[in-house]
Amino acid sequence: MKERFAIGFDPFVLPFLVGMVFVLGYCLFGLFRILWQLPREDRRKFLLSLITPATALKNIWDIFCNCLLHVKLWKRNKMLGFMHSSIAFGWFMLILLGHLEVFIYCPERVHLFYYPIFFNYFVANNESTIGGAVLFFLMDFFLLLVLSGIALAMIKRVRSRLFGMRRTTRPSMLDRIGLYSLWAIFPLRLLAESFTAHISGGSFLTIPANWVFRQFLGNDLNLLPTWWAYSIALGIFMVVLPFTRYMHIPAEMMLIPMRNAGLRIRHPRKGFAKMQVLSCPGCGVCIDACPMSVQKVNIKDCTVYLNRQIRRGNEKRIEEISDKCLLCGKCEAVCQVGVEGPKMRVAQRSVRRYGLTPDFAAIDTAPLVQAAAAQVSKAAAGPKVLYFSGCMTRLTPSIGKAVTSLLGKAGVEFTWMDREEGLCCGRPLLTAGRIDAALALIRKNQEIILGSGASVLLVSCPICYKIFTERYSLPGVRVVNYADFFAELLEQGRLKLEKSDICYVYHDPCELGRGCGIYETPRKLIGQAAGIAEAEKNRAESICCGGSLGSLTLDFAHREVMTRKALDNLYGSRADAIATACPLCLSTFRRYSDRPVRDLAEVLDASTVSSFQP
Amino acid sequence: MIDFGFGLSRSSSVKLDEVDLGLYHKLEALEPGVRVCMSCGSCTSTCTAGPWSGMSVRKLILNLQRGKDVEKMLSCCMLCGKCTMVCPRGINTRHLILSLCRIYGKKQ
Amino acid sequence: MIYQGKQRIWSDYQKDIPADGWFYVRSCIRQNFFPASEKYFLAICRDLLGHDIYETEHHTTCGGIAYHSDTIPQETAMTIVARQFALMKEAGYKNLVTSCITSFGNYTEILETWREYPELEARIRENLWKATRREFDKPEYVAHASDLVYKYRSEIAERARFRLVDKETGLPLRIVEHIGCHYSKMFPHKGIGGAEYPCVLSGMVESWGGEVVDYPERRHCCGFGFRQYLVKANRGYSVSNTHKKFESMEPYHPDAIITNCPGCPYFLDRWQYVIAEQTGKTYGRDGFGIPVFTYEELAGLVLGYDPWDLGLQLHQVAVEPLLDKIGIEYDPSAKYLGVNKEDLLKPQMPTVLKCC
Amino acid sequence: MEKIAIIGGGIAGMEAARRLLQLGHEPVIVEKSDHLGGHVAGWYKLFPDMMSARELVEQLAAGLDGVTVYYRTRVANMNRLGSGYSVMLSNGVNLQCGAVLISTGFRLFDASRKEEYGYGVYDHVVTNSDLEAWLGGAPDYRIPDNPASVAFVHCVGSRDLKAGNPQCSKVCCMTAIKQAIEMKEKFPQADIWCFYMDLRLFGKKYEDFYIAAQRDHGIHFVRGRVSEVSEDIDGRVVLKAEDTLAGTPVKLSADLLVLMSGMLCNEDTQSLARMVRADVDSDGFMRSRDNIYRINESNRPGIFFAGACTGTKTVPETVGEARAAALDIHNYLSGND
């Protein structure tokens, strides 16, 4: 190998250079700004995590798996996974190998960072070394890999269904420019390297192409224009990158360390949230996942559009999207880069200004504490169980009745904390973004629970359960979901079940499944009490019933369509009945279901055969 | 002015045509559902906050339609959503309440 | 307002009032508030028009005011009324005419009660006999003095020196009529024109050249309401109701108010001063109030009696602007002269309400 | 003589069959249950005359001599054939008819869907039809022997978007008052409460019932919709509502709760409609050609309606409509439409 030009420069590298400098400058500036926006403790935490070996290694591993290999996408759809990883990993390898070539053949040029990109233009092949042949082969191989990915990407634009996506986002103008320039880069590189292959050498792809081209265009005049074109395509791509969805490429690489550092969204637009917005690749996986997308009017209200509107600063739409969401969490569950859609929305809601703020000072908890304490103290030996059924359960009395019956059968003495009057758990206020009010309510409930002297807080509503576990401070009190509690009672032999012939399909309530990670216990319990079937979309991909309190603006008619869609998913299992573990899902489904809908407690109660004999 | 030891008392009747419906109209724009309330009272009786603050979405809507103040009533609302669940006309009462809380802010 | 509609209602509520043979009973409070009104009722109807109206100095209160103030039971009021009937029988009259609206209501109410419960009437007869050894016949007809003036309104109009018109423009004066609650609100058929649109006063106004003003609170009570005024703690309620009426009639710019009840002219007149002091607001032109007249005073004015003989100097609200408007001559310097022309001294003038 | 298929042997079908027979036609009644009379057959007494429902059904049945009635039979298929219809029945019979009368009536709202009222969950909650059956002599363990108080909740599954029926069922107000009076007569010591949203007493003599309920029976009326019901330690039902006139939340412990289930369109009716492509209205009931003058006529030739399949109806309205439908069919078949 020898260099063709002593100065090692040609004007055609300028477009690339401009683009490169711009994008690097932009990203570095952006990164510093985001770091600056982080609250102090978060920033410390983040910087510390970068130098902690364990997290640093994890960062590298996560970036490799997610940004280059797109492991999550492979799990979702093979074609989609191949397309993304071929482009990302192939490109990465081209850059890496390019550097290797420069390092090996002209180490004095290492500091010129356009050199690895346009290596083939600047060198001439004088002798065939084994190493060179291997490198050339690899370069051609990865270029072919990238080209296959680009080909798939083109097909995807026309037929997204082949890739398992019913709907994708509509790219904006700049997105299109970015997209077309990205598509252009690699065919142009192939062209440029092919025209140069008789000078610089090549491999299985470029040498035959060079031979073919030389049959038609027998001189080297075409050589330079193709390199120009290649450089211009690169330049355009890099200049528009910060303003397109391709920003996710650099952003995600920073999001992963931030997440690994344990940061949380503290501000709806700044810091960690901003990083999430920038990391959104706009792939649109969340559109199909979103329960609202059954109706066309709501398609533009899923997380990908929230991110897009935040980037555009369209306040009106940001508010609409933030308020409409059911907070079911499915977009987060399916998101490839880990954008926390629901948390972003709650953060948006939390900065809203209200002229009226709830004031719970007027609520005197003393009588409630007294009533609960009097009951709790009556209980005999063993854990002092306090049962919190939650507001919604008053409208689904069958749950309370079944829980009471089951506890009676198991011989568990308990106190029903909110049988007559009770306070809300605070989660609806929290999800509405009224965090201070929610905390005030939480303090009131804490007073009651701690004042009652109970040692176990049994919760049947997953909406309440989530906030009890996440936001309450209840020292000495074990907060337990009723599914877990009944599972324990079964293990202890205090409840005995006999399988009935009814076959249930279990609907994972958003708050219990995605919210609290409880998927298996209810299934295990139902499996012991009756037959169990699975719906097509289940567990983390379960479809929200549409009744969620998360949405502030969705009206009744729109919710109905979602409920019916969720029911259709459940009907698909061909089960006789539907079981769930949330009062809100229960009443929402019961409104429209063509088959019985039962709560977990009801299912268990109906199959309990023997009573506990103390 | 002479102190007679008694004075004019304000009329308790509401002059419907002179009522300031500004707040109600603003709310209507944000949550049109407010128009279809038929005053059945389901929301009031199911209200979690009711025992503490006299919260009643029915009264709230009616008071707004009569130009009366509703601020006090809203103070204990926990947004628990039971009223939304029981409303036979499908009114999004939570959004109604949140919207009202916001409008109050803009007024001041 | 559809005038024909009112006429149709009036046609249902007409009274066939006998022309003559009346036994006249006076009001307790009018002689203090509007001392000349009853005098001029007799002067006009008996002396000028020549109708047979008899009165005796032996009659007493009818008990209505005490009854409505919850200080005597109805049986007591009935026995008092029975005594008046006995006096009428002794005088040989069969038709009773009362000066007071509350008396009219009281007599009517008692007669209606007796009609429903004859045993009660028998007991009252017994009471009266035991107490006074008198016997009574129920009157054939009970009328209010305004009913009679209504009946004679055309005769008065024929002899009138003035008409209720603005002498400058020739346009009719705008007059508010206010009927006492006890006139027809209890028994609509006992009042001329019924309870909703009584025409006893509007008939007079129209035949004497004026124009009646209909305003939204036309039916509302003057605010007296017996206990509402008599108990000081409730007096704010009383004045508030008067205030409501004035607020309602204000846009019509009435020239005068005509009333047929003892309490109404008094309260509509005096409360204007109190309202002016409390709110700084007056309802007439140029800081004056709206003058309030009894029907006898208004009849006296159109017939050309001297305003000071009619007792108009006892009004709180100055009547002079209206007299000027109609063109009635009067001697301003004679306003505060007594019967024997001695100077009664001009009273202290209020600060807000303009008076002369 | 042409056959006329009458689908549904309730009072509408019976009356129409009787009249068509008189007009010289050959009506055939297809009834899915094993008896004629439909809902009315299970009713005890009919307002406003407190006539025995059984008597009415017997009277109507008496006029059906010579009418073929297929019990426990449904329509399997129905097609336009020539100028008439070919009706395939589930028992294998194939009817060639000149006209079809749909008189499939209504179904009662399933009260357990309003789960906050606890029907099927609490011990002492019944529906209007349960109570009627009990009044007619059928035993019902849910109804206590000597209730001290009985609560009626109007509009259960009516005027309720959440229950899927925004319409007023129109007869329940009157039924509630009728049943309230009947309960008061049975249990003079009991307090009877009616929780209503609006009292819609529009028919002849209905207001008399209302006045009698207030004046003669001392039935309490509370304007407010019950929002939730719970059960106390003695098994009594505890109702929560707002007294919207007083503006205060109220609670009532009652020994018996009666839910006035509303009227919905029969699902069978909708499948029939699909067979002949007759229109279903936005309220789920059949769509008449108009709702003023041609209530009996569908948008398809030869398909007629009678009774509650086109909307909630009272008994006299249903019977009257059945007669009108018979005349319409007669005119249609004789070509002088």
Side-chain angles (χ1 to χ4, degrees):
Chain A
M1 286 282 184
K2 68 165 199 287
E3 287 196 69
R4 289 170 60 204
F5 312 101
I7 53 163
F9 176 80
D10 189 281
F12 82 79
V13 304
L14 281 175
F16 163 76
L17 266 182
V18 170
M20 194 69 198
V21 169
F22 175 74
V23 79
L24 273 180
Y26 187 93
C27 289
L28 282 174
F29 176 73
L31 178 64
F32 281 119
R33 223 180 115 192
I34 285 172
L35 287 179
W36 177 252
Q37 286 168 348
L38 284 178
R40 210 186 168 133
E41 47 182 314
D42 276 7
R43 189 161 53 234
R44 227 175 85 86
K45 212 165 153 190
F46 173 62
L47 294 175
L48 262 177
S49 82
L50 290 182
I51 51 168
T52 310
T55 36
L57 275 176
K58 186 169 164 30
N59 288 344
I60 293 168
W61 175 247
D62 282 355
I63 290 173
F64 186 73
C65 288
N66 291 330
C67 302
L68 294 180
L69 297 185
H70 290 87
V71 175
K72 275 198 205 161
L73 263 180
W74 278 91
K75 285 180 196 155
R76 177 145 209 97
N77 184 289
K78 297 269 181 306
M79 296 266 274
L80 214 56
F82 177 76
M83 181 194 117
H84 283 83
S85 53
S86 64
I87 299 176
F89 185 64
W91 197 359
F92 172 74
M93 287 310 286
L94 283 175
I95 297 167
L96 192 74
L97 290 170
H99 280 85
L100 201 62
E101 283 177 330
V102 176
F103 198 73
I104 292 170
Y105 298 114
C106 27
E108 70 282 6
R109 301 292 192 197
V110 165
H111 64 283
L112 296 173
F113 64 92
Y114 58 84
Y115 231 70
I117 312 298
F118 306 110
F119 181 74
N120 282 12
Y121 177 80
F122 289 107
V123 298
N125 197 9
N126 51 355
E127 59 195 92
S128 289
T129 61
I130 293 294
V134 170
L135 274 177
F136 285 154
F137 172 78
L138 285 177
M139 288 299 267
D140 270 18
F141 172 75
F142 284 114
L143 185 58
L144 185 66
L145 190 67
V146 175
L147 284 170
S148 68
I150 298 285
L152 284 179
M154 291 178 180
I155 296 169
K156 176 176 164 267
R157 281 248 68 83
V158 198
R159 309 210 58 159
S160 62
R161 272 174 196 266
L162 288 176
F163 296 78
M165 292 177 73
R166 290 208 304 127
R167 299 192 190 87
T168 54
T169 44
R170 270 174 61 92
S172 66
M173 188 65 195
L174 278 171
D175 276 345
R176 276 174 207 274
I177 295 173
L179 178 73
Y180 297 140
S181 58
L182 178 65
W183 284 0
I185 290 170
F186 297 97
L188 285 173
R189 177 172 178 142
L190 175 68
L191 220 56
E193 289 194 343
S194 298
F195 274 117
T196 326
H198 65 289
I199 305 168
S200 63
S203 188
F204 65 93
L205 200 61
T206 38
I207 298 273
N210 180 268
W211 182 81
V212 171
F213 289 150
R214 289 177 72 80
Q215 302 306 307
F216 300 101
L217 315 151
N219 58 41
D220 289 346
L221 282 177
N222 301 312
L223 201 144
L224 205 53
T226 52
W227 284 101
W228 266 101
Y230 172 46
S231 173
I232 288 171
L234 274 169
I236 292 175
F237 179 68
M238 284 189 287
V239 168
V240 296
L241 180 133
F243 315 107
T244 63
R245 50 158 85 167
Y246 300 103
M247 187 62 197
H248 80 268
I249 299 167
E252 194 188 350
M253 287 194 289
M254 288 321 295
L255 180 70
I256 288 170
M258 281 188 170
R259 186 166 50 232
N260 288 345
L263 301 195
R264 284 196 302 123
I265 294 178
R266 307 258 193 161
H267 186 282
R269 307 283 172 84
K270 293 178 181 167
F272 193 43
K274 176 82 177 173
M275 205 44 121
Q276 292 200 1
V277 170
L278 294 175
S279 300
C280 171
C283 64
V285 171
C286 50
I287 302 178
D288 283 342
C290 182
M292 295 195 294
S293 68
V294 283
Q295 279 165 304
K296 234 179 174 171
V297 286
N298 297 326
I299 284 179
K300 294 219 161 176
D301 294 308
C302 50
T303 305
V304 59
Y305 287 99
L306 175 67
N307 292 330
R308 182 183 278 190
Q309 300 300 352
I310 289 177
R311 290 185 70 175
R312 290 183 184 169
N314 184 342
E315 294 299 331
K316 188 169 167 264
R317 286 288 296 136
I318 295 171
E319 186 180 320
E320 271 174 28
I321 297 175
S322 305
D323 284 2
K324 203 185 251 189
C325 174
L326 294 154
L327 305 185
C328 75
K330 197 169 166 188
C331 54
E332 190 181 342
V334 300
C335 184
Q336 300 305 306
V337 297
V339 175
E340 298 166 306
K343 292 196 184 101
M344 300 249 298
R345 288 177 170 91
V346 171
Q348 293 290 352
R349 294 174 186 181
S350 69
V351 290
R352 198 157 299 154
R353 285 173 179 277
Y354 289 98
L356 284 182
T357 309
D359 175 19
F360 303 118
I363 298 175
D364 180 16
T365 51
L368 296 171
V369 173
Q370 271 173 15
Q375 270 264 322
V376 168
S377 63
K378 265 192 248 164
K384 312 264 190 198
V385 179
L386 190 64
Y387 171 43
F388 185 90
S389 59
C391 302
M392 283 301 157
T393 308
R394 288 158 183 274
L395 298 175
T396 49
S398 54
I399 299 180
K401 196 159 173 156
V403 169
T404 311
S405 159
L406 277 168
L407 291 177
K409 286 175 186 169
V412 178
E413 284 188 63
F414 73 104
T415 303
W416 194 337
M417 175 174 154
D418 54 348
R419 188 190 170 115
E420 282 296 318
E421 304 288 357
L423 300 184
C424 171
C425 63
R427 185 148 166 79
L429 277 168
L430 196 77
T431 55
R434 311 208 69 177
I435 292 165
D436 291 340
L439 294 176
L441 205 50
I442 287 172
R443 283 193 292 275
K444 289 279 175 192
N445 270 321
Q446 280 172 185
E447 278 170 28
I448 302 171
I449 296 164
L450 293 175
S452 73
S455 60
V456 171
L457 182 70
L458 175 65
V459 186
S460 59
C461 170
I463 308 170
C464 309
Y465 179 66
K466 189 168 161 67
I467 196 169
F468 274 123
T469 53
E470 289 179 356
R471 295 280 187 149
Y472 276 65
S473 159
L474 296 167
V477 181
R478 179 183 166 232
V479 179
V480 59
N481 182 265
Y482 73 153
D484 292 330
F485 196 73
F486 292 138
E488 285 166 20
L489 292 176
L490 271 173
E491 266 171 33
Q492 293 161 7
R494 297 174 78 171
L495 282 178
K496 280 213 172 59
L497 296 175
E498 190 172 80
K499 237 176 148 91
S500 76
D501 319 332
I502 309 166
C503 177
Y504 288 96
V505 56
Y506 174 67
H507 165 77
D508 289 278
C510 306
E511 302 274 331
L512 194 64
R514 287 184 290 264
C516 302
I518 298 180
Y519 295 110
E520 299 310 324
T521 319
R523 286 187 164 76
K524 204 180 80 193
L525 290 172
I526 295 167
Q528 288 178 31
I532 184 159
E534 288 294 340
E536 187 199 339
K537 303 271 185 198
N538 59 5
R539 294 190 167 83
E541 299 217 1
S542 153
I543 304 173
C544 172
C545 68
S548 168
L549 286 173
S551 171
L552 304 179
T553 54
L554 263 183
D555 63 26
F556 185 70
H558 285 106
R559 287 171 184 263
E560 179 182 341
V561 184
M562 290 169 216
T563 310
R564 292 194 186 277
K565 171 84 187 308
L567 279 171
D568 283 342
N569 175 52
L570 296 170
Y571 295 160
S573 67
R574 301 189 171 274
D576 312 314
I578 297 164
T580 186
C582 167
L584 204 47
C585 299
L586 186 75
S587 57
T588 309
F589 280 145
R590 274 192 183 160
R591 208 172 280 154
Y592 307 110
S593 172
D594 69 355
R595 57 202 75 188
V597 186
R598 302 223 166 83
D599 186 76
L600 176 64
E602 289 179 88
V603 175
L604 297 182
D605 192 36
S607 295
T608 309
V609 280
S610 70
S611 301
F612 171 75
Q613 302 295 328
Chain B
M1 299 272 162
I2 299 170
D3 181 15
F4 293 91
F6 57 90
L8 289 173
S9 46
R10 246 186 52 194
S11 171
S12 61
S13 71
V14 175
K15 291 186 180 169
L16 289 176
D17 50 335
E18 289 172 18
V19 161
D20 175 17
L21 290 178
L23 204 54
Y24 178 70
H25 290 320
K26 276 187 204 159
L27 183 62
E28 246 184 335
L30 290 176
E31 179 49 61
V34 67
R35 295 185 194 140
V36 299
C37 174
M38 59 174 166
S39 288
C40 70
S42 302
C43 44
T44 314
S45 50
T46 201
C47 181
T48 307
W52 287 282
S53 64
M55 172 70 175
S56 160
V57 180
R58 178 192 68 80
K59 272 194 214 171
L60 188 117
I61 294 175
L62 202 65
N63 280 2
L64 285 173
Q65 288 171 340
R66 303 290 177 263
K68 289 188 197 160
D69 196 48
V70 294
E71 191 174 336
K72 250 201 201 107
M73 233 185 256
L74 281 166
S75 70
C76 277
C77 174
M78 307 178 192
L79 281 185
C80 73
K82 275 173 85 191
C83 48
T84 312
M85 291 285 288
V86 299
C87 178
R89 283 278 167 95
I91 302 173
N92 188 343
T93 47
R94 293 175 79 232
H95 187 238
L96 193 150
I97 291 163
L98 277 172
S99 304
L100 196 59
C101 287
R102 289 184 79 180
I103 305 169
Y104 258 99
K106 280 178 191 160
K107 208 176 71 171
Q108 284 149 12
Chain C
M1 184 74 74
I2 302 166
Y3 191 71
Q4 287 85 344
K6 276 206 287 191
Q7 280 184 316
R8 204 178 57 242
I9 290 173
W10 290 340
S11 65
D12 292 342
Y13 294 98
Q14 285 302 325
K15 295 206 277 196
D16 188 19
I17 305 165
D20 283 300
W22 293 99
F23 181 77
Y24 184 50
V25 283
R26 294 205 182 210
S27 152
C28 309
I29 56 177
R30 289 186 93 204
Q31 293 168 66
N32 299 307
F33 295 168
F34 308 99
S37 288
E38 288 179 341
K39 177 183 168 188
Y40 278 92
F41 171 72
L42 291 174
I44 294 167
C45 298
R46 187 176 63 190
D47 306 337
L48 185 70
L49 303 177
H51 295 287
D52 174 19
I53 300 171
Y54 172 82
E55 73 161 331
T56 166
E57 69 274 29
H58 297 297
H59 86 266
T60 61
T61 173
C62 69
I65 203 161
Y67 168 56
H68 285 292
S69 307
D70 285 354
T71 51
I72 61 166
Q74 199 188 13
E75 276 193 33
T76 310
M78 283 177 172
T79 312
I80 296 170
V81 163
R83 182 176 170 277
Q84 321 279 61
F85 291 162
L87 292 177
M88 181 177 74
K89 182 185 178 181
E90 286 158 17
Y93 282 86
K94 288 184 162 38
N95 301 326
L96 183 80
V97 60
T98 72
S99 166
C100 171
I101 284 286
T102 294
S103 294
F104 177 69
N106 194 35
Y107 287 118
T108 313
E109 185 182 347
I110 287 169
L111 288 170
E112 288 294 309
T113 310
W114 287 349
R115 198 164 62 78
E116 298 272 344
Y117 303 98
E119 68 279 8
L120 192 58
E121 183 191 337
R123 198 157 76 234
I124 300 300
R125 275 186 195 285
E126 202 182 315
N127 287 352
L128 184 69
W129 178 253
K130 279 182 188 162
T132 64
R133 300 289 164 199
R134 288 181 197 268
E135 282 181 77
F136 70 89
D137 288 338
K138 285 192 281 183
E140 279 176 9
Y141 204 92
V142 176
H144 182 249
S146 61
D147 292 338
L148 257 61
V149 176
Y150 174 79
K151 188 175 173 70
Y152 308 145
R153 67 191 187 282
S154 309
E155 294 175 47
I156 292 169
E158 279 165 24
R159 291 161 200 251
R161 273 188 61 206
F162 302 101
R163 286 178 63 73
L164 298 175
V165 293
D166 185 336
K167 69 166 181 183
E168 300 291 333
T169 62
L171 292 172
L173 295 182
R174 303 167 63 75
I175 307 218
V176 158
E177 43 99 37
H178 177 84
I179 310 285
C181 294
H182 293 157
Y183 177 66
S184 57
K185 280 180 188 163
M186 291 191 290
F187 301 99
H189 278 279
K190 303 292 177 192
I192 295 170
E196 297 296 326
Y197 307 96
C199 63
V200 59
L201 294 179
S202 60
M204 294 178 205
V205 170
E206 280 168 6
S207 54
W208 299 339
E211 178 188 322
V212 175
V213 172
D214 275 311
Y215 63 108
E217 295 294 355
R218 176 174 46 80
R219 294 179 181 85
H220 204 78
C221 167
C222 68
F224 175 29
F226 296 85
R227 276 162 297 171
Q228 272 65 40
Y229 173 76
L230 297 173
V231 179
K232 188 176 175 185
N234 294 342
R235 226 165 267 175
Y237 183 77
S238 171
V239 69
S240 298
N241 279 290
T242 313
H243 179 246
K244 186 192 235 176
K245 280 188 80 77
F246 278 106
E247 284 294 311
S248 173
M249 70 174 78
E250 185 193 11
Y252 298 87
H253 303 298
D255 292 301
I257 300 170
I258 175 172
T259 62
N260 70 345
C261 173
C264 307
Y266 189 72
F267 285 94
L268 291 173
D269 185 56
R270 304 304 200 268
W271 279 149
Q272 287 195 61
Y273 152 70
V274 174
I275 291 169
E277 287 296 336
Q278 288 184 341
T279 68
K281 191 166 179 184
T282 53
Y283 292 92
R285 219 161 281 219
D286 307 324
F288 286 98
I290 305 172
V292 188
F293 299 100
T294 66
Y295 53 96
E296 295 103 328
E297 286 170 349
L298 207 63
L301 280 178
V302 299
L303 285 168
Y305 291 97
D306 183 75
W308 310 140
D309 288 347
L310 288 168
L312 302 188
Q313 65 273 55
L314 283 160
H315 288 204
Q316 175 69 63
V317 175
V319 296
E320 285 88 340
L322 185 80
L323 300 182
D324 293 342
K325 203 168 186 178
I326 301 174
I328 296 173
E329 327 78 63
Y330 61 94
D331 177 6
S333 62
K335 184 168 181 179
Y336 297 111
L337 293 184
V339 181
N340 303 322
K341 304 292 174 202
E342 82 276 28
D343 192 358
L344 297 176
L345 299 180
K346 188 173 178 178
Q348 192 190 340
M349 291 289 120
T351 48
V352 182
L353 183 71
K354 206 166 163 190
C355 297
C356 1
Chain D
M1 224 168 54
E2 269 194 282
K3 277 200 177 109
I4 296 148
I6 295 179
I7 305 166
I11 52 168
M14 292 168 84
E15 174 67 9
R18 198 164 77 97
R19 298 292 171 178
L20 283 167
L21 196 68
Q22 288 169 353
L23 290 165
H25 299 282
E26 192 189 336
V28 178
I29 296 179
V30 182
E31 168 58 40
K32 68 179 172 186
S33 75
D34 58 359
H35 65 272
L36 289 174
H39 289 278
V40 177
W43 223 248
Y44 176 52
K45 281 197 172 152
L46 302 173
F47 60 76
D49 294 354
M50 299 305 269
M51 172 185 184
S52 155
R54 194 185 307 140
E55 263 174 42
L56 172 73
V57 174
E58 278 167 7
Q59 254 179 47
L60 290 173
L64 294 181
D65 274 350
V67 176
T68 315
V69 184
Y70 294 109
Y71 293 101
R72 286 176 291 270
T73 308
R74 287 166 189 274
V75 174
N77 205 356
M78 188 156 59
N79 293 309
R80 186 102 172 108
L81 191 71
S83 64
Y85 285 87
S86 156
V87 182
M88 278 290 295
L89 301 184
S90 59
N91 60 6
V93 175
N94 191 359
L95 301 171
Q96 303 299 320
C97 317
V100 175
L101 177 68
I102 297 180
S103 53
T104 42
F106 66 96
R107 73 181 160 92
L108 269 179
F109 174 78
D110 173 10
S112 64
R113 284 199 169 229
K114 291 290 297 173
E115 56 186 302
E116 57 265 43
Y117 293 161
Y119 182 67
V121 178
Y122 299 142
D123 296 337
H124 299 300
V125 183
V126 297
T127 63
N128 41 4
S129 84
D130 296 336
L131 186 69
E132 201 68 32
W134 177 79
L135 288 168
D140 194 326
Y141 66 92
R142 292 168 296 189
I143 296 169
D145 292 336
N146 203 1
S149 71
V150 179
F152 286 83
V153 176
H154 296 218
C155 301
V156 176
S158 308
R159 303 180 72 197
D160 187 348
L161 216 55
K162 300 284 170 63
N165 180 24
Q167 307 298 325
C168 168
S169 291
K170 135 174 164 178
V171 299
C172 331
C173 280
M174 186 53 200
T175 307
I177 290 179
K178 181 197 81 116
Q179 293 185 342
I181 292 175
E182 287 171 308
M183 288 305 272
K184 185 74 183 179
E185 281 169 347
K186 265 193 162 8
F187 307 108
Q189 299 306 313
D191 275 316
I192 315 274
W193 300 83
C194 282
F195 290 86
Y196 67 95
M197 293 201 279
D198 294 302
L199 279 180
R200 299 185 165 179
L201 300 164
F202 57 92
K204 183 177 164 80
K205 293 208 169 176
Y206 291 10
E207 197 67 17
D208 295 349
F209 264 78
Y210 181 23
I211 294 168
Q214 292 176 296
R215 183 190 54 205
D216 306 336
H217 301 282
I219 288 160
H220 312 287
F221 288 89
V222 182
R223 192 193 176 280
R225 183 169 170 269
V226 172
S227 68
E228 53 185 83
V229 176
S230 40
E231 202 171 44
D232 71 6
I233 195 139
D234 305 322
R236 310 216 307 161
V237 279
V238 182
L239 286 77
K240 280 172 82 178
E242 186 198 11
D243 182 338
T244 57
L245 298 179
T248 47
V250 290
K251 264 190 189 181
L252 172 73
S253 297
D255 295 318
L256 178 65
L257 174 62
V258 186
L259 304 176
M260 306 311 295
S261 276
M263 291 163 92
L264 304 175
C265 188
N266 231 326
E267 280 124 338
D268 300 352
T269 315
Q270 287 164 355
S271 63
L272 276 180
R274 279 191 290 275
M275 289 176 197
V276 290
R277 283 179 292 140
D279 289 348
V280 175
D281 220 336
S282 58
D283 57 3
F285 288 94
M286 300 305 297
R287 191 204 295 277
S288 301
R289 282 184 66 189
D290 62 44
N291 294 313
I292 294 159
Y293 181 59
R294 290 175 294 192
I295 297 169
N296 296 112
E297 295 174 38
S298 75
N299 60 325
R300 314 294 302 168
I303 306 278
F304 293 85
F305 301 132
C309 63
T310 53
T312 55
K313 302 258 157 66
T314 61
V315 170
E317 281 171 336
T318 304
V319 175
E321 227 173 65
R323 282 175 208 154
L327 194 59
D328 278 352
I329 292 172
H330 173 73
N331 285 338
Y332 170 79
L333 293 177
S334 22
N336 49 13
D337 201 358

